[in-house]
Amino acid sequence: MPCPACQAPSPCPQPHVGTAWKPSPDVTVERLSPGLPRRLPLRQILCLLPLALVVVVAVQHRSVLADGFGHLATAEWPWLLAAAAATCLTWVAAAVTRQGALVERLPRRRLLATQFAAGAANHLLPTGLGASAVNLRFMAVCGVPLARSSAALALYMLAESVARVGLLVALLIAFPDALRIGVLLPDGAAGPLLLAAGAVVCVALTVLLLVRRVRTVVFSFLRTALSEARSVHARPARALALWGGAITFPALQAAGLAAVGQALGLPVPPLHMAVAYLAATVAVALVPTPGGIGSVEAALIVALVAAGGPAAVATAVVLAYRIITVWLPLLPGALTLGALVRWKVI
């Protein structure tokens, strides 16, 4: 092999003190260190991680899966297909809302695939964190700065929350007897809940006022978020996509639950089931469990019972609904997430 410094035949007559030897491009790592095992690339590990998490979550909830599939076997299939169609349309609504929260145009197909993958990530990580991380990474790959992508994410979450609560309030005004509040909120529970919420707000305000670094970060983020919101609402197409998608997303989710209720013969009017769904999801949003698994089921069952449904049928409806909206898309969603990581889309 010639000398790497002067290309003289080996052994080189010159000492070349301080010259570091570097392998030529055609020298592979295996030739340099044949005794060392090859390391698995980090991106390849990230591709396999969603599948491993799916297996873990499925094993932990295998009894729920068995019960849910058992109820699906006895349901009316046209209504189940309607529920599945509504579930698929939720990813389209999420993609439209994400685009509406950002001025830059995002690639449509990759954006839709990212929402499908983000749904799987959201069920594998604490509520909201999985989808937020996937979408932040997607916007970063698309060239959006972190400050503006974070502002767009905050605007999306705000629009979705306002739309969900607004839709719930509108339906409660239209159907005041849809829920029996006494079943949802036991006597004497309102006071402690309000006290706990007030304590959380007071602690947050105290930290904001006393810690200068936190105050600086929060105010800087708010300035960026307000600027982004003004830019979005200055474009009618973006504003329509933002708020139209934000309203459509929970409406489709509620329609999916109503369709499953019809498939299993739940004796509750569909609009009352929609009210029950919105009330349960608003209540469970504060519980940081992965994808709401466990907490969402409990809240939905209680809400459907409060809407007038028998407990046994309400339980069957919720289990079947979660099979359609969570467990069936989970594996393909995880595969899509791994593929997007491998292709460097996220």
Side-chain angles (χ1 to χ4, degrees):
M1 179 181 295
C3 174
C6 64
Q7 301 300 317
S10 180
C12 179
Q14 301 296 327
H16 300 299
V17 178
T19 302
W21 179 80
K22 297 181 180 180
S24 60
D26 59 337
V27 179
T28 62
V29 176
E30 288 80 2
R31 288 176 58 188
L32 292 176
S33 52
L36 295 178
R38 295 184 62 184
R39 292 185 178 180
L40 198 62
L42 177 60
R43 187 168 291 274
Q44 198 167 350
I45 295 175
L46 293 176
C47 292
L48 298 175
L49 183 60
L51 297 179
L53 291 176
V54 169
V55 173
V56 171
V57 174
V59 170
Q60 289 177 343
H61 299 85
R62 56 187 179 275
S63 60
V64 175
L65 286 170
D67 292 340
F69 278 109
H71 293 306
L72 285 177
T74 62
E76 297 181 14
W77 283 98
W79 286 110
L80 293 183
L81 291 177
T87 301
C88 294
L89 289 175
T90 58
W91 301 317
V92 179
V96 171
T97 312
R98 298 280 183 188
Q99 178 60 85
L102 191 66
V103 174
E104 286 88 345
R105 180 178 293 277
L106 299 172
R108 295 180 180 178
R109 294 181 181 179
R110 283 184 284 170
L111 176 61
L112 182 58
T114 302
Q115 301 319 301
F116 183 50
N122 216 36
H123 295 306
L124 299 174
L125 296 174
T127 303
L129 293 182
S132 299
V134 169
N135 280 283
L136 281 176
R137 178 59 186 166
F138 173 66
M139 286 187 281
V141 172
C142 291
V144 182
L146 179 60
R148 297 190 58 245
S149 61
S150 301
L153 179 64
L155 181 59
Y156 168 86
M157 297 175 67
L158 176 63
E160 203 275 333
S161 300
V162 170
R164 187 178 295 268
V165 174
L167 191 59
L168 173 62
V169 171
L171 287 177
L172 282 176
I173 293 174
F175 306 97
D177 298 329
L179 292 178
R180 292 174 293 174
I181 303 300
V183 177
L184 290 175
L185 195 64
D187 294 337
L193 286 176
L194 292 176
L195 184 61
V200 171
V201 172
C202 290
V203 170
L205 290 176
T206 302
V207 172
L208 183 63
L209 293 175
L210 297 181
V211 183
R212 182 178 180 181
R213 181 172 297 180
V214 174
R215 187 169 63 252
T216 302
V217 171
V218 170
F219 287 165
S220 175
F221 173 77
L222 288 177
R223 284 193 297 269
T224 304
L226 289 174
S227 176
E228 188 70 18
R230 285 195 297 268
S231 300
V232 165
H233 287 86
R235 302 184 176 212
R238 289 290 187 270
L240 179 62
L242 175 66
W243 293 104
I247 294 173
T248 305
F249 183 74
L252 287 170
Q253 290 179 320
L257 179 65
V260 176
Q262 293 293 106
L264 291 173
L266 183 67
V268 176
L271 286 174
H272 290 195
M273 281 189 270
V275 173
Y277 174 82
L278 294 170
T281 52
V282 168
V284 85
L286 301 177
V287 182
T289 57
I293 293 177
S295 57
V296 168
E297 283 86 348
L300 283 175
I301 292 171
V302 172
L304 289 178
V305 171
V313 183
T315 303
V317 168
V318 170
L319 292 178
Y321 173 72
R322 294 292 277 176
I323 288 290
I324 293 174
T325 58
V326 176
W327 295 106
L328 288 180
L330 191 57
L331 181 57
L335 292 173
T336 303
L337 179 60
L340 294 178
V341 171
R342 185 176 182 83
W343 296 335
K344 298 182 180 180
V345 176
I346 59 175

